[in-house]
Structure formats: C-alpha cells, structure tokens
Amino acid sequence: MGIGAGMTGLRPIIEGMNMGFLLLAFNQISNNCGMLHYTSGGQFKVPVVIRGPGGVGKQLGAEHSQRLESYFQSIPGVQLVACSTVENSKALLKSVSAQPTDA
C-alpha cells in the first residue's frame, strides 16, 4: 500500500516492526520501491520512508534479531540511514518529508 501511495504523490512512512519482517517484503522494497523510478524510465517516483529498528534487541530472540541492513543498502534507489538518538530520528524523519522527489 505504501509503494502505491508513493506512486500517486503521497509521502507514506511505513513502519517495519523488525528487520525479519522487512525481509518478507524485500522483493517489493527492492524491485518496486527502489528501482521503479529507473525501470519505468522516470515515469514513477516512489517517495516512501520505511522505518525500522536496527541492531539486536534483548527482547526479540533468535527469529527477530537478524542484522539485514546490508541487504537493503545494496539496492539502487534506496538510501539507508541510522539514527543515534531520539532527536536525531525526529530530525531525519522531518528532513525526509521535506526532500524533493527526484527519484
């Protein structure tokens, strides 16, 4: 839904509860969200923010503690950032919402 919303001009922020769940959406994130602008010859822009946790949490256990950031950082058209504080996270979300949608 978020990728379709981005294609229509909205700027959705998608919450990925943990990296293991984002891996289930890897095809949509890479082929639709990341590369659609390029594969469509620039006809579509997908200004989507996918927000998710990084690192290993003590409460998550073996199934939800994978470090999958390297998979996502290798996708053309996807920018990966990491926050160090709550204030940093807020500032990054505000700046992403204000960025132009060139790609």
Side-chain angles (χ1 to χ4, degrees):
M1 289 177 55
I3 293 170
M7 290 172 63
T8 64
L10 299 175
R11 294 171 113 17
I13 298 174
I14 300 166
E15 174 67 28
M17 290 176 54
N18 62 56
M19 294 303 273
F21 291 159
L22 289 177
L23 187 58
L24 294 172
F26 186 78
N27 181 50
Q28 289 79 21
I29 293 170
S30 63
N31 292 320
N32 299 130
C33 187
M35 292 188 263
L36 188 62
H37 177 75
Y38 305 106
T39 58
S40 70
Q43 290 181 314
F44 296 104
K45 297 177 182 179
V46 189
V48 172
V49 173
I50 302 172
R51 184 177 171 269
V56 178
K58 294 179 184 176
Q59 76 281 11
L60 297 177
E63 290 85 13
H64 302 304
S65 297
Q66 298 92 346
R67 298 292 309 256
L68 304 171
E69 292 89 343
S70 61
Y71 287 123
F72 294 104
Q73 74 183 15
S74 63
I75 302 169
V78 171
Q79 297 176 353
L80 184 69
V81 296
C83 305
S84 57
T85 65
V86 173
E87 294 81 12
N88 184 239
S89 175
K90 180 181 177 182
L92 281 168
L93 280 174
K94 286 176 74 173
S95 71
V96 166
S97 298
Q99 283 184 357
T101 57
D102 292 338

